[in-house]
């Protein structure tokens, strides 16, 4: 059986001859998705994880790809000249003296549930490099692929409640959301479908119509026979653990509770409307549902924010639905008593230029931008850091990507100074440098 040299220790990196015996309509996709991340559960039985669960039991990472303008969102400059202020006004929040952009009416009402960092900064003005920073806490390197925060969480804690520890909604959004130098077993589970669609169903989790439970169980028995056959042909340690990986895969598929975690039809119509029947709304509602079921790290994207041209129209079209959905998520988590142990992140790869350009847009600007954190042991009703009068540079409490990542890991109970092993046995710190932002924590 041909092995994939890029991942010699992964029994699921072999070609499809073995998996063909398992094909019941759903396991065709599982061969490279579900069993890979479930591999870590079998490994977990032999490993004592150094990390212990922290205040945040789950993270919901909301990423706005393209670069959300700080001036039109969390850091308006109402007294700046018009060419810097932009096309919109600002509105008061529930926090005395603090204002958001005028299209953030709902988040302004729940600003007392969040911390806004207005002094986020890094030096990468290209989309790919900025995205790498925000997903990994590292600057890109030509020599090494760094793991995403979700993959590190997956590595440190493993699965819970028969659910994948790291889920991307609807799909893995970029190459930097993956497992990097860690095994692909710690990579994300992409849903393969968008919850905003009316016929939303997660791939791999449902038996096809022509496969009943009896037939499904026969295939499980067939797997045992096939395992014995391959084991007699190949004396491979990797194959010895293959049974357990597939058994966990079958356990997830056959578990009603696990499947229901992905089932938005269980949510009342009133709640769906509160989030909004939009891309952003339904993705965030599903994220809350997954966090509630035990998924440790949920990453989702919403919209596109690369507004080089006509930023007025771009913001008008996209920000209201995101504003509504994020506010609904925070209120919903708070009402369910989940906000204290669920860390919500709202980030982008960078901000936008201080001055409106000739095509009425803003260009890439990593020197200062805003991010939001809520729940998971983060203080409520805090504005941390400050940009200067034109939103061009940090003026107070500059925050780097290492500080941000280290704070997220700290809240989850992960010591970011811990070293993981890269290829060749090279030890690499989870985060190299930076400090936990203690001033924003409870």
């Amino acid at each position: 059986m041909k092995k994939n040299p890029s991942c010699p220790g992964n029994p699921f990196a072999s070609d499809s001859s073995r998996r063909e015996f398992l094909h019941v309509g759903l396991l065709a996709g599982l061969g490279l998705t579900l069993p890979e991340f479930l591999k870590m559960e079998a490994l977990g039985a032999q490993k004592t994880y150094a990390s212990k669960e922290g205040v945040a039991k789950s993270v919901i990472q909301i990423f706005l790809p393209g670069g959300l303008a700080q001036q039109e969102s969390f850091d308006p400059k109402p007294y700046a000249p018009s060419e810097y202020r932009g096309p919109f006004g600002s509105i008061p929040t529930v926090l005395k003296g603090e204002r958001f952009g005028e299209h953030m009416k709902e988040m302004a009402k729940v600003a007392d549930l969040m911390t806004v960092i207005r002094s986020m900064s890094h030096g990468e003005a290209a989309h790919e490099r900025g995205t790498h920073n925000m997903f990994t806490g590292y600057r890109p390197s030509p020599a090494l692929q760094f793991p995403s925060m979700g993959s590190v969480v997956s590595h440190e804690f493993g699965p819970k409640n028969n659910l994948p520890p790291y889920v991307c909604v609807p799909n893995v959004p970029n190459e930097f959301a993956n497992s990097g130098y860690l095994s692909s077993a710690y990579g994300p589970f992409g849903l393969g479908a968008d919850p905003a669609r009316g016929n939303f169903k997660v791939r791999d989790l449902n038996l096809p119509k022509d496969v009943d439970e009896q037939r499904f169980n026969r295939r499980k028995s067939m797997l045992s026979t096939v395992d014995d056959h391959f084991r007699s042909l190949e004396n491979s340690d990797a194959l010895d653990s293959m049974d357990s990986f597939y058994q966990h895969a079958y356990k997830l598929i056959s578990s009603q509770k696990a499947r229901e975690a992905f089932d938005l039809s269980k949510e009342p119509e009133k709640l769906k409307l509160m989030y909004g029947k939009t891309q952003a709304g339904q993705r965030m509602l599903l994220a809350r549902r997954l966090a509630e079921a035990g998924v440790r790290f949920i990453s989702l994207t919403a919209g596109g924010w690369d507004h080089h041209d006509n930023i007025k129209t771009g913001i008008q079209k996209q920000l209201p639905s995101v504003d509504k959905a994020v506010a609904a998520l925070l209120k919903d988590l708070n009402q369910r008593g989940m906000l204290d142990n669920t860390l919500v992140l709202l980030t982008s790869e960078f901000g936008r230029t201080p001055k409106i350009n000739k095509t009425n847009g803003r260009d890439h600007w990593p020197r200062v931008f805003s991010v939001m954190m809520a729940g998971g042991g983060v203080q409520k009703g805090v504005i941390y850091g400050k940009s200067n009068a034109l939103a061009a540079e940090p003026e107070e409490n500059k925050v780097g990507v290492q500080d941000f990542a280290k704070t997220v890991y700290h809240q989850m109970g992960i010591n970011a100074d811990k070293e993981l092993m890269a290829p060749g046995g090279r030890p690499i710190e989870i985060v190299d440098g930076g400090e936990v932002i203690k001033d924003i924590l409870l």
Side-chain angles (χ1 to χ4, degrees):
M1 184 165 58
K2 183 179 178 182
K3 297 290 182 180
N4 183 343
S6 67
C7 192
N10 182 359
F12 302 101
S14 59
D15 53 8
S16 60
S17 60
R18 183 177 177 81
R19 291 193 305 271
E20 287 171 357
F21 287 92
L22 307 176
H23 184 27
V24 293
L26 62 135
L27 285 180
L30 291 182
L32 292 176
T33 54
L34 189 56
E36 284 192 337
F37 74 71
L38 287 167
K39 176 182 176 181
M40 73 192 74
E41 193 164 53
L43 295 175
Q46 307 168 24
K47 174 181 178 182
T48 300
Y49 293 104
S51 299
K52 296 181 180 179
E53 284 191 352
V55 178
K57 309 302 181 187
S58 297
V59 172
I60 298 175
Q61 177 193 46
I62 304 163
F63 188 73
L64 306 183
L68 174 67
Q70 64 274 24
Q71 303 90 334
E72 275 69 55
S73 56
F74 290 110
D75 194 11
K77 299 297 180 181
Y79 304 113
S82 60
E83 65 268 30
Y84 291 89
R85 184 171 67 245
F88 302 117
S90 63
I91 57 172
T93 71
V94 294
L95 305 178
K96 185 177 180 180
E98 300 296 347
R99 304 180 74 84
F100 289 170
E102 69 173 81
H103 290 288
M104 297 182 71
K105 294 181 175 64
E106 299 305 317
M107 273 194 271
K109 297 174 185 176
V110 293
D112 56 348
L113 295 179
M114 65 179 72
T115 283
V116 172
I117 299 174
R118 286 177 171 164
S119 54
M120 193 76 202
S121 180
H122 63 71
E124 305 292 349
H127 288 294
E128 294 81 5
R129 295 179 70 86
T131 301
H132 183 283
N133 280 1
M134 298 306 293
F135 271 79
T136 69
Y138 269 89
R139 292 186 66 186
S141 166
L144 196 63
Q145 292 287 328
F146 293 97
S148 64
M149 288 192 284
S151 287
V152 172
V153 169
S154 180
H155 177 274
E156 291 299 292
F157 292 124
K160 182 179 179 180
N161 297 343
N162 295 320
L163 286 162
Y166 175 24
V167 174
C168 286
V169 181
N171 293 303
V172 183
N174 56 69
E175 61 184 302
F176 314 118
N178 279 305
S179 55
Y181 62 73
L182 295 176
S183 165
S184 60
Y186 305 110
F189 177 63
L191 299 188
D194 196 332
R197 295 175 57 184
N199 59 346
F200 167 67
K201 283 188 178 181
V202 180
R203 67 183 182 194
D204 302 340
L205 296 187
N206 294 288
L207 292 170
K209 293 179 181 178
D210 61 339
V211 179
D212 58 20
E213 293 293 333
Q214 187 176 10
R215 185 179 173 191
F216 178 61
N217 289 328
R218 286 201 303 271
R219 293 301 176 95
K220 290 172 68 176
S221 177
M222 184 188 300
L223 170 63
S224 177
T225 302
V226 173
D227 279 345
D228 290 340
H229 171 71
F230 274 89
R231 197 173 285 111
S232 67
L233 294 177
E234 300 181 34
N235 185 20
S236 168
D237 291 338
L239 286 175
D240 289 341
S241 59
M242 209 163 179
D243 270 344
S244 63
F245 304 156
Y246 275 107
Q247 288 302 322
H248 285 303
Y250 279 122
K251 190 174 181 181
L252 174 54
I253 297 161
S254 60
S255 165
Q256 183 70 19
K257 184 177 180 181
R259 290 203 304 265
E260 284 185 357
F262 296 88
D263 188 356
L264 273 181
S265 70
K266 304 295 183 182
E267 297 292 339
E269 187 70 13
K270 183 178 179 181
L271 196 61
K272 292 179 182 178
L273 292 173
M274 185 178 90
Y275 277 81
K277 289 195 169 183
T278 59
Q279 179 196 82
Q282 297 307 290
R283 290 179 183 182
M284 291 186 210
L285 177 55
L286 180 61
R288 187 231 79 210
R289 191 172 179 84
L290 294 176
E292 192 171 29
V295 176
R296 298 183 187 277
F297 199 101
I298 306 105
S299 182
L300 66 94
T301 59
W305 307 85
D306 196 20
H307 296 141
H308 292 280
D309 308 311
N310 195 6
I311 194 170
K312 180 177 181 180
T313 298
I315 291 292
Q316 285 173 330
K317 285 183 176 180
Q318 298 198 60
L319 190 50
S321 64
V322 170
D323 171 58
K324 180 177 182 177
V326 174
L329 175 63
L330 298 185
K331 288 188 288 187
D332 194 12
L333 289 170
N334 196 44
Q335 290 167 0
R336 291 170 184 268
M338 292 177 59
L339 188 58
D340 288 344
N341 58 26
T342 306
L343 179 59
V344 181
L345 312 174
L346 179 63
T347 69
S348 202
E349 64 259 47
F350 41 55
R352 311 302 293 190
T353 47
K355 192 174 183 179
I356 296 290
N357 64 24
K358 293 180 180 179
T359 54
N360 297 312
R362 297 187 191 268
D363 301 315
H364 303 175
W365 195 257
R367 294 184 192 176
V368 70
F369 57 107
S370 298
V371 299
M372 185 274 287
M373 305 177 74
V378 172
Q379 289 192 44
K380 299 176 180 179
V382 171
I383 304 295
Y384 183 80
K386 181 180 179 181
S387 67
N388 66 8
L390 299 179
E393 303 283 349
E395 192 169 279
E396 295 177 5
N397 297 321
K398 180 180 177 180
V399 174
V401 291
Q402 297 94 337
D403 307 315
F404 179 73
K406 214 159 202 174
T407 304
V408 173
Y409 286 132
H410 179 270
Q411 294 310 98
M412 292 209 77
I414 295 171
N415 179 3
D417 293 325
K418 176 183 176 180
E419 293 178 337
L420 304 180
M421 288 300 165
R426 178 185 172 190
I428 304 289
E429 290 180 328
I430 292 175
V431 179
D432 184 11
E435 299 291 338
V436 175
I437 315 168
K438 294 181 179 178
D439 289 343
I440 68 172
L441 303 180
L442 294 172

